[in-house]
Amino acid sequence: MLISLVLVGALAAAETPAATRDCLSTHALRSTAVLDDQTILFQLRDGSVWKNTLDFSCPTLGFHESFSYESHGMQLCDLDTIKVFEPYGISGATCGLGKFER
C-alpha cells in the first residue's frame, strides 16, 4: 500500500507542469552558469534557480561559458538575445533565449 501511494505521488509530481516565466528582473540576478550550447542557469538573489533552454543551439556558448545581454526595461525576457563572448575581440554568435523554467 505504501509503495502505491509513493508511486501515485511521484506520478502526480511528474504531471505537474514546471513553473515558467517569460522574463526575469535584471536587478534580481545573482549569477549565471552555462551548462552547454543551449542551456543557461540563472540564480536569483532569493536563491531560486531558473533554467533557460535557448531556442536553438548557440555555437561556442558551452565552450566559452560566457555571454552578454542587453536588457530592455530592466528585464531579461524570452524574446531577448545573448551574445557569446569570444577571445581577441572576435564577434561571437547571437542567440535567442527561450522561456525561463524553475
Side-chain angles (χ1 to χ4, degrees), residues 34-99:
V34 174
L35 300 183
D36 55 36
D37 283 350
Q38 197 170 4
T39 313
I40 304 170
L41 298 179
F42 291 83
Q43 182 179 20
L44 303 185
R45 294 185 190 282
D46 67 4
S48 64
V49 177
W50 293 82
K51 178 177 81 168
N52 191 286
T53 303
L54 280 60
D55 293 333
F56 301 98
S57 182
C58 193
T60 72
L61 177 63
F63 179 76
H64 292 295
E65 298 182 341
S66 60
F67 63 92
S68 64
Y69 62 85
E70 202 172 301
S71 64
H72 305 282
M74 306 303 234
Q75 291 190 327
L76 187 59
C77 297
D78 60 346
L79 298 177
D80 291 330
T81 59
I82 61 164
K83 186 169 188 112
V84 178
F85 279 139
E86 296 278 347
Y88 312 112
I90 298 171
S91 182
T94 300
C95 305
L97 291 171
K99 297 257 186 233

Side-chain angles (χ1 to χ4, degrees), residues 11-25:
L11 290 174
E15 293 173 3
T16 303
T20 61
R21 287 186 183 176
D22 294 337
C23 302
L24 297 177
S25 167

